[in-house]
Amino acid sequence: MSEDARRTTRNRLRALGTPLAAFGLLLVLIGAVALWVGTNAHRLITGETATVRTLERCTEGVGTAPAAACGSEWVFPDGSTGHGEIKNPPVAVGDRIFAGDDWAYSSTAPLHRAVWLPGALLCLLVLGTIALAVGYRIDTRRARAAPPPPAPPQSTQHPPTQHQPQPPDPGPTG
């Protein structure tokens, strides 16, 4: 590879650095949101209704807010049990909750919010990333296809010549 080709390749890679870094950051953000949404969607799909059997302890919320979570045991309609913390109490013994084997929520509402709001954000991030990539691609193609700027017009006059000193005029003859 010639030195000019290496220099051109290096310049192209440097020019791509910022867009690639931004694209990589967007991909990491999309992955994190997808993981968050996936975990909560899995709970929403696999969870079922259960009845609170015992309440062991409740952690206090911040300020005057209600408790943030309560340790508990619950029973499913088939007779199996689960235990762990119930998120978003208040709950009491005998209340119906939405739960899995080791997690529970006082209702499905927090899970729906945890799935649909970030899910919408994820869709917007994906669409925005696609739009940025397409826009960048269109701009680079236009830049490559654009004709070079016109050269400045060349003067058709002859270049100025140096003036030769003329001998003085002899004056009127007469």
Side-chain angles (χ1 to χ4, degrees):
M1 188 184 296
S2 73
E3 184 61 32
D4 288 338
R6 283 189 196 117
R7 193 172 297 126
T8 302
T9 302
R10 263 188 259 129
N11 289 340
R12 284 184 184 161
L13 288 176
R14 278 190 199 125
L16 284 176
T18 302
L20 284 178
F23 187 70
L25 181 63
L26 281 173
L27 286 179
V28 167
L29 186 58
I30 288 169
V33 171
L35 189 62
W36 171 265
V37 168
T39 301
N40 289 311
H42 183 263
R43 286 182 173 180
L44 197 55
I45 292 168
T46 61
E48 56 184 302
T49 304
T51 303
V52 177
R53 181 186 279 179
T54 63
L55 282 175
E56 299 166 1
R57 67 190 184 293
C58 289
T59 58
E60 291 301 318
V62 177
T64 59
C70 290
S72 178
E73 184 179 53
W74 50 87
V75 63
F76 295 103
D78 65 0
S80 62
T81 62
H83 60 69
E85 287 188 346
I86 301 174
K87 306 283 186 195
N88 296 3
V91 292
V93 174
D95 284 354
R96 297 188 61 83
I97 58 172
F98 188 75
D101 290 334
D102 59 352
W103 57 268
Y105 288 86
S106 58
S107 71
T108 60
L111 285 172
H112 280 287
R113 281 192 302 270
V115 169
W116 297 110
L117 292 177
L121 175 64
L122 179 66
C123 289
L124 288 174
L125 282 173
V126 168
L127 291 174
T129 302
I130 291 170
L132 287 173
V134 168
Y136 178 77
R137 183 72 178 166
I138 289 171
D139 286 348
T140 56
R141 281 191 177 179
R142 280 186 186 155
R144 281 190 212 138
Q154 293 291 331
S155 174
T156 56
Q157 298 175 353
H158 296 288
T161 57
Q162 282 192 334
H163 235 23
Q164 297 290 333
Q166 304 252 341
D169 195 18
T173 55

